[in-house]
Amino acid sequence: MNGNRIQASEEASKIHQANMQKSLENRLQIARTNMDENLARLLEAEMMQYSQYKPSSVTKIGFFGFLSTLRKKL
């Protein structure tokens, strides 16, 4: 059961990342079309920051791991 949750969480994360990438690319294209250089630079910087941050499933498991220890205490 936990395996299914982890797999679903990883799939949702991948879909979210793809949607964020598409949104950023669309916003960047509009900024360039409107010749808004400041916005284009900000969006390019955001794309760079976003591409460098990739949460791992270990982080997610570690984050939610406290629930199992809390449940054992109750």
Side-chain angles (χ1 to χ4, degrees), residues 2-71:
N2 281 340
N4 290 338
R5 288 182 186 173
I6 292 170
Q7 191 175 17
S9 175
E10 288 175 351
E11 183 66 25
S13 179
K14 288 178 186 178
I15 291 169
H16 175 70
Q17 287 176 352
N19 288 338
M20 289 294 296
Q21 184 70 26
K22 288 177 188 176
S23 175
L24 279 170
E25 288 171 357
N26 185 41
R27 291 167 56 205
L28 181 58
Q29 181 180 7
I30 292 169
R32 288 179 177 158
T33 300
N34 293 336
M35 296 184 174
D36 190 340
E37 293 179 26
N38 291 329
L39 180 57
R41 277 196 294 272
L42 288 171
L43 292 170
E44 287 170 350
E46 186 176 344
M47 287 178 79
M48 291 295 290
Q49 289 175 347
Y50 189 72
S51 68
Q52 291 174 0
Y53 174 72
K54 299 198 186 227
S56 67
S57 59
V58 174
T59 304
K60 291 177 195 171
I61 294 168
F63 177 75
F64 292 110
F66 75 93
L67 291 176
S68 61
T69 56
L70 181 62
R71 187 171 36 186

